[in-house]
Amino acid sequence: MLEPKPTGSPHSAFEDAQALVTRTAFVALGVTLYAQAGLLTGGTAGIALLLHYASGWPSGAVFFALNLPFVWLAVRTLGWPFTLKTCALVLALNHKPGRSMGV
């Protein structure tokens, strides 16, 4: 039922790396600005920040746990290359111990 869809023209490894760095920077900036202002963003990042504020749990760990069902779905529908790039983005957002997702 869930078949991988064919993609358009493939990007080079350099283009993929450039996009990964750019996306990580913009998402990190946005989440940091929201967190510093005490605001919430939507999606799993917003839910992770909400649970962090309410419980004190590390937002990066909550963000990772909330994304696990989506990782499984991505593997099933889009394949491993897309899923690994997405996991790299999520890990890059949480690279600083004790200061994950700008909180």
Side-chain angles (χ1 to χ4, degrees):
M1 183 171 129
L2 299 174
E3 302 273 334
K5 295 181 181 179
T7 59
S9 62
H11 297 284
S12 69
F14 175 74
E15 290 172 327
D16 283 344
Q18 186 178 25
L20 193 83
V21 168
T22 304
R23 279 182 278 180
T24 302
F26 279 117
V27 171
L29 176 64
V31 171
T32 300
L33 291 174
Y34 270 92
Q36 294 301 317
L39 302 173
L40 293 177
T41 183
T44 55
I47 295 170
L49 286 174
L50 183 63
L51 289 173
H52 167 74
Y53 292 147
S55 67
W57 296 336
S59 57
V62 175
F63 185 61
F64 176 78
L66 289 174
N67 276 298
L68 285 177
F70 298 109
V71 170
W72 173 79
L73 186 62
V75 169
R76 299 240 355 214
T77 60
L78 300 171
W80 279 105
F82 175 85
T83 304
L84 292 175
K85 291 174 196 172
T86 302
C87 289
L89 173 70
V90 171
L91 290 174
L93 284 172
N94 295 299
H95 74 285
K96 288 185 178 181
R99 192 160 156 78
S100 57
M101 288 180 44
V103 179

